[in-house]
Amino acid sequence: QQQVKQSPQSLIVQKGGISIINCAYENTAFDYFPWYQQFPGKGPALLIAIRPDVSEKKEGRFTISFNKSAKQFSLHIMDSQPGDSATYFCAATASGTYKYIFGTGTRLKVLA
Amino acid sequence: SQTIHQWPATLVQPVGSPLSLECTVEGTSNPNLYWYRQAAGRGLQLLFYSVGIGQISSEVPQNLSASRPQDRQFILSSKKLLLSDSGFYLCAWGGLFNEQFFGPGTRLTVL
């Protein structure tokens, strides 16, 4: 029940295309869902996050879609660029627990 | 603004040697602090977290330990390193609204 399942494991997208990464969770107590971007040899950087009171959040080319009933959330990268090539992690946490449950990561490669 | 520092950036140590990795946070007070380990090409494994000075919670039994001697300082230690301790060690601090912010990491190679 504590798992966050992330898919796909890897993704190749053409420049200008849409990258979509999905995560699913079981624990209905989770109330904060962040996405992280990690470049090789660097620490993960918080990209965008959502709470379950909204179904979508957009920041620039990055959008989180959230489906509370299905217990799923996804990251959409519009107009994908080669500079977006990185590993993306989803996570989930419940208020007061201090701990994140991370997905296993998706390695995105955007072809020029 | 808040900044998180980790050092050293890279470290090569022989098996059986001790370890001390340091993490400091600037620009915030009484943050939650976290140590994670990331194996090559893998996900993030939570090792320890701390909600205050001297308060450490361990997530994974192992030969590592953590200490928080000051509000914004978090130290990861080992008395005797194992080959399996190799990895990318990440420190993170927790914000007011559940967010976590990661440091640049320390690449540890145990030979």
Side-chain angles (χ1 to χ4, degrees), chain A residues 36 38 51 98-100, chain B residues 32 34 38 97-100:
Chain A
Y36 286 84
Q38 185 179 29
R51 297 189 185 276
Y98 308 115
K99 297 187 292 184
Y100 280 12
Chain B
N32 294 334
Y34 305 84
Q38 188 174 32
F97 304 105
N98 274 18
E99 61 276 50
Q100 287 188 22

Side-chain angles (χ1 to χ4, degrees), chain A residues 33-49:
Chain A
F33 303 89
W35 284 91
Y36 286 84
Q37 179 188 57
Q38 185 179 29
F39 293 105
K42 306 293 184 182
L46 178 61
L47 195 59
I48 188 172

Side-chain angles (χ1 to χ4, degrees), chain A residues 1-105:
Chain A
Q1 229 201 4
Q2 283 290 85
Q3 278 188 326
V4 175
K5 295 182 180 179
Q6 183 171 346
S7 62
Q9 199 170 23
S10 63
L11 182 61
I12 299 175
V13 173
Q14 293 288 336
K15 179 182 176 181
I18 302 173
S19 304
I20 301 174
I21 305 170
N22 302 298
C23 284
Y25 63 98
E26 291 292 327
N27 189 344
T28 55
F30 289 153
D31 59 3
Y32 181 72
F33 303 89
W35 284 91
Y36 286 84
Q37 179 188 57
Q38 185 179 29
F39 293 105
K42 306 293 184 182
L46 178 61
L47 195 59
I48 188 172
I50 198 168
R51 297 189 185 276
D53 52 342
V54 296
S55 59
E56 186 175 280
K57 183 174 180 180
K58 184 176 181 179
E59 289 185 6
R61 296 185 293 110
F62 300 91
T63 300
I64 299 180
S65 297
F66 185 80
N67 186 328
K68 189 173 182 178
S69 60
K71 290 184 284 187
Q72 295 176 348
F73 58 109
S74 59
L75 176 69
H76 297 235
I77 306 174
M78 313 301 287
D79 186 26
S80 298
Q81 299 296 313
D84 297 330
S85 297
T87 300
Y88 293 81
F89 292 95
C90 65
T93 187
S95 296
T97 62
Y98 308 115
K99 297 187 292 184
Y100 280 12
I101 307 299
F102 279 93
T104 50

